Amino acid sequence: MRNKKKQLGNNKISETSGLEPVQDELQDDVQNDEIIGKAFRWSLTLFSVLAVSGALIWSMNKEEAEELLAVSDKGLDVPLKIESIASVSPPQVSFVDVATAAGIDFRHFSGAYGEKLLPETMGGGVAFLDYDNDGDADLLLVNGTSWPEESLDNTPVSSLTLYDNDGLGNFTDVTDKTGLIVKLYGMGVAVGDYDGDKDVDIFVTAVGENRLLQNDNGHFVDVTESSGTKGGVDEWSTSAAFFDADNDGDLDLFVANYVQWSRDIDLEVDYRLTGIGRAYGPPTNFEGQYSRFYLNNGDGTFSEHSAESGIQVNNSATGKPVGKSLAVIPVDIDNDHLMDLVVANDTVQNFVFHNKGNGKFEEVGALWGMAFDRNGHATGAMGIDAAWYRNDLSLGFVIGNFANEMSSFYVANDASTYFSDQSIVDGIGPASRSRLSFGLFFFDYDLDGRLDLFQANGHVENEINKVQKSQSYKQPSQLFWNCGEQCDVTFVEHKPNANNGLSKNIVGRGAAYADIDGDGDLDILVTQIEGVPLLLRNDQKLSNHWLHVKLSQTGGNSNAIGALVKVKLHNGEEMQQLVMPTRSYLSQVLPQAYFGLGKNTEVEQIIVTWPDGLVQAVTNIGKVDRVISIQRNNNQIVKK
């Protein structure tokens, strides 16, 4: 959440200098951004000409250089408006909210009783996981509980709710049966087979101590104390990730921590809005917290290596922690077969932890271009995801930001490690600016072979409309269709009709996707504050084909978290995806790769780069429109 201008002395914000600019200013800014984006796309065309000119200047004398510059400058006189290369509308796909019909009776509980404590508006996460190894997408939802100062009658029995999927999208509550009656102020979740027994385990983050729940053949046992992963009683943990940091074959654990928080600190900060009084505000007046990093010992326990790993970043002026971390995604950015970490920080610089090996990291966010937005500002960064969304070597990271901040879209072309914020150029900037975005992710909703983008939106202050008419507490989600090369921008916003579940106004927070009913397309679940989740069943009928890839290997990390899966088609097209459950905000997806194939009915080859860097090629794929399971086979290794 972004740092807003405050009146000195009483933490109030006036209506004229409030959380966001008024609507007419916002519209002007959006129009300007669109013009800038179109002009910038022209500048990309001119860049190569100017680059050649610059190279020649070095080899010329002064007179020749001045003459060349004069000629080059004339080329900058270009129109500010560019006509679209193609007028293409996104495929209209219906998403139907089936939460109640599917048996989901969960309701988020914030514990709010009038004091407006910051954790109450931050929400809870969701995980799709296969807890019983029957091959379908089960569902875990994370809830809050009452504050110690107040015991509310409607406090849920458990802060976790686990639903078993029958494979057709019908869910049954199995929380009690599986031993998941847990009481804590829950936030996020991470899933992974940390002990190598082929059962997926659960790590739950919280305001206060966290929990590690070991899966023993479908029943969960609390091993927090013995595993050494509980964190601190005075910490506020948010997102977490299981990944193999040191390539030793088992899953290590990163835990993002947010701010130094307590009820007393919150009341002392006393954030207020003119016309409202006490309100939910940004974290600017809260100190940051160090995140935690645990190395897996291979015996069911973890050793904390936070300080020596390099993930603790200090403010050089104060010596205090910089980070106010809400989301994390592990990705091997520089292709050295070591998983790096990108961390979304709220109102302070984002982190990029470059993995140096042996559990050591170097923070390079500013050097690699992801610390700040396109204007050099820190943003109210919430959710995060990453993908090779152009079906080439260009890697993109998307981060959901506060209202009147575009979603950040950092892109590095052709496997570079320098990223630039291309939110305007790629088409998501103006449309995302009026929303406050939390959970988001790339996925192929229409199965055309290009990854689209989903954002869950909702404000943090329930009375925001009283002081900002341009803003509302409940907001619709957004879906951006990947138009590919046929349009002058990559992403075009999908405008749903009134009957589409995407058009519902909600207070969106966590978000995840899965094929809940086995029909091949990807469905969405979005959590919301003090409300029931939306389970949006994808009812697309576009006759496109698909292939889901599920990996397995012996030993630790049985689901091959961190593997890269590339699909090659007979027409020469290639697509690649990372097997990574951690993405979005506080949430997780199944450790699989989901490929839309468009009208292609055959796949030529699947190439798997396993987490340790070894490459296995699989041919003779056979029919598509199915889940294909690939077991690691060292006899098929093609590159070491």
Side-chain angles (χ1 to χ4, degrees):
M1 293 174 286
R2 189 173 180 177
N3 183 5
K4 309 300 170 188
K5 296 179 181 178
K6 302 201 316 186
Q7 295 178 355
L8 296 177
N10 59 3
N11 283 344
K12 291 185 179 178
I13 293 185
S14 69
E15 188 167 351
T16 58
S17 63
L19 288 177
E20 296 82 25
V22 293
Q23 184 64 27
D24 56 349
E25 293 173 342
L26 174 60
Q27 290 173 342
D28 290 342
D29 285 346
V30 170
Q31 290 169 357
N32 290 338
D33 287 334
E34 290 171 338
I35 294 171
I36 293 169
K38 291 175 180 177
F40 184 68
R41 286 188 291 277
W42 267 104
S43 72
L44 292 178
T45 304
L46 294 170
F47 181 77
S48 59
V49 175
L50 295 177
V52 173
S53 300
L56 291 173
I57 288 169
W58 282 100
S59 62
M60 292 181 174
N61 60 31
K62 184 175 184 293
E63 290 77 12
E64 291 172 323
E66 289 175 348
E67 182 180 354
L68 179 58
L69 281 174
V71 173
S72 300
D73 286 344
K74 293 178 182 178
L76 293 175
D77 186 15
V78 296
L80 290 178
K81 186 173 181 180
I82 302 173
E83 299 299 327
S84 280
I85 293 174
S87 178
V88 182
S89 298
Q92 289 301 302
V93 170
S94 177
F95 284 87
V96 181
D97 183 12
V98 296
T100 301
I104 297 172
D105 56 0
F106 176 93
R107 184 178 184 86
H108 179 256
F109 180 83
S110 71
Y113 59 97
E115 290 193 318
K116 291 202 170 181
L117 304 176
L118 184 56
E120 297 164 357
T121 193
M122 298 305 287
V126 52
F128 282 111
L129 72 165
D130 186 4
Y131 86 96
D132 53 358
N133 287 326
D134 64 354
D136 50 44
D138 306 311
L139 175 63
L140 180 74
L141 291 158
V142 182
N143 218 338
T145 191
S146 290
W147 298 113
E149 297 83 10
E150 189 79 14
S151 180
L152 302 180
D153 293 337
N154 58 338
T155 303
V157 174
S158 176
S159 300
L160 300 178
T161 303
L162 178 64
Y163 293 95
D164 181 69
N165 187 349
D166 68 354
L168 300 175
N170 303 304
F171 293 87
T172 303
D173 189 335
V174 291
T175 309
D176 192 7
K177 171 184 173 182
T178 55
L180 283 178
I181 302 297
V182 177
K183 295 296 287 290
L184 75 171
Y185 200 96
M187 291 296 299
V189 57
V191 296
D193 179 17
Y194 82 91
D195 55 359
D197 65 354
K198 300 190 182 303
D199 291 328
V200 63
D201 310 298
I202 298 171
F203 182 80
V204 184
T205 65
V207 179
E209 295 177 348
N210 304 314
R211 299 285 188 277
L212 179 60
L213 305 165
Q214 184 184 46
N215 188 342
D216 182 12
N217 197 28
H219 187 271
F220 291 89
V221 179
D222 190 335
V223 294
T224 309
E225 287 286 349
S226 61
S227 67
T229 57
K230 70 179 180 180
V233 67
D234 60 345
E235 293 180 0
W236 178 353
S237 300
T238 52
S239 296
F242 282 113
F243 73 112
D244 189 355
D246 51 1
N247 281 346
D248 64 352
D250 50 35
L251 292 176
D252 309 302
L253 178 63
F254 177 88
V255 182
N257 282 346
Y258 190 32
V259 294
Q260 191 67 42
W261 182 89
S262 69
R263 175 178 175 270
D264 290 342
I265 293 173
D266 205 324
L267 295 177
E268 183 179 349
V269 168
D270 198 25
Y271 187 86
R272 292 178 178 268
L273 285 173
T274 300
I276 292 179
R278 183 166 168 79
Y280 296 113
T284 41
N285 287 339
F286 295 87
E287 288 186 5
Q289 280 194 336
Y290 292 128
S291 295
R292 290 182 180 255
F293 172 64
Y294 302 92
L295 280 174
N296 193 327
N297 296 322
D299 59 0
T301 67
F302 292 81
S303 297
E304 184 177 355
H305 287 258
S306 303
E308 57 267 41
S309 69
I311 68 156
Q312 294 185 347
V313 182
N314 288 324
N315 185 311
S316 59
T318 66
K320 302 287 187 180
V322 171
K324 299 180 182 181
S325 303
L326 286 177
V328 58
I329 185 164
V331 180
D332 179 10
I333 298 174
D334 56 347
N335 197 32
D336 63 354
H337 307 305
L338 292 168
M339 299 299 291
D340 310 301
L341 299 172
V342 181
V343 179
N345 283 319
D346 191 354
T347 71
V348 297
Q349 68 189 67
N350 300 316
F351 295 149
V352 178
F353 293 118
H354 180 213
N355 193 334
K356 308 294 287 184
N358 298 318
K360 305 291 184 181
F361 297 87
E362 177 187 11
E363 204 290 299
V364 294
L367 182 64
W368 286 12
M370 282 190 275
F372 306 101
D373 70 3
R374 73 191 194 286
N375 296 318
H377 299 151
T379 61
M382 267 70 83
I384 190 170
D385 198 11
W388 292 268
Y389 67 102
R390 294 176 183 162
N391 290 340
D392 60 14
L393 297 179
S394 301
L395 177 61
F397 288 85
V398 62
I399 295 178
N401 290 324
F402 205 78
N404 293 328
E405 296 176 335
M406 300 180 187
S407 293
S408 299
F409 196 53
Y410 302 104
V411 180
N413 296 318
D414 299 325
S416 167
T417 57
Y418 179 75
F419 291 78
S420 60
D421 189 347
Q422 299 185 16
S423 60
I424 296 175
V425 176
D426 273 314
I428 67 172
S432 65
R433 187 170 188 171
S434 63
R435 306 299 183 194
L436 199 166
S437 302
F438 279 84
L440 43 65
F441 49 74
F442 293 101
F443 78 137
D444 186 355
Y445 81 89
D446 58 344
L447 302 179
D448 66 352
R450 299 186 299 268
L451 291 175
D452 312 301
L453 175 64
F454 172 84
Q455 290 192 161
N457 304 319
H459 212 283
V460 298
E461 171 52 51
N462 55 331
E463 297 182 276
I464 188 61
N465 189 248
K466 290 183 178 180
V467 296
Q468 286 296 322
K469 298 304 180 184
S470 65
Q471 284 296 314
S472 59
Y473 184 46
K474 293 184 177 182
Q475 301 177 0
S477 301
Q478 289 176 291
L479 181 62
F480 295 91
W481 176 58
N482 189 332
C483 190
E485 296 181 354
Q486 57 190 322
C487 298
D488 62 338
V489 294
T490 304
F491 292 100
V492 179
E493 187 175 10
H494 175 287
K495 300 292 182 65
N497 60 41
N499 297 322
N500 195 315
L502 291 172
S503 67
K504 287 190 175 183
N505 289 315
I506 63 171
V507 192
R509 293 298 185 261
Y513 59 83
D515 179 10
I516 63 169
D517 47 7
D519 64 354
D521 54 38
L522 295 176
D523 314 292
I524 302 170
L525 190 137
V526 186
T527 69
Q528 62 170 326
I529 298 293
E530 289 288 344
V532 297
L534 298 188
L535 181 59
L536 302 176
R537 188 185 65 207
N538 186 340
D539 285 348
Q540 65 85 26
K541 301 183 186 301
L542 301 172
S543 301
N544 288 329
H545 298 284
W546 54 276
L547 189 69
H548 301 171
V549 180
K550 183 178 180 180
L551 305 179
S552 61
Q553 59 183 2
T554 58
N557 191 15
S558 60
N559 297 126
I561 289 174
L564 188 66
V565 181
K566 180 182 291 187
V567 166
K568 290 187 174 183
L569 303 178
H570 288 285
N571 62 7
E573 293 181 13
E574 296 182 0
M575 300 170 281
Q576 64 181 17
Q577 294 181 27
L578 180 69
V579 176
M580 180 52 62
T582 300
R583 58 191 65 229
S584 186
Y585 170 74
L586 308 177
S587 300
Q588 304 272 291
V589 299
L590 285 167
Q592 297 182 19
Y594 298 90
F595 294 96
L597 301 176
K599 302 307 178 184
N600 293 284
T601 59
E602 295 182 2
V603 169
E604 179 178 301
Q605 191 178 44
I606 298 175
I607 298 176
V608 179
T609 303
W610 297 93
D612 60 3
L614 297 185
V615 179
Q616 178 179 345
V618 179
T619 55
N620 300 320
I621 309 304
K623 65 180 181 179
V624 296
D625 298 331
R626 66 187 179 103
V627 180
I628 181 171
S629 295
I630 297 177
Q631 170 73 36
R632 177 166 177 152
N633 184 348
N634 289 333
N635 293 326
Q636 293 179 327
I637 295 298
V638 296
K639 185 189 297 183
K640 296 184 179 180

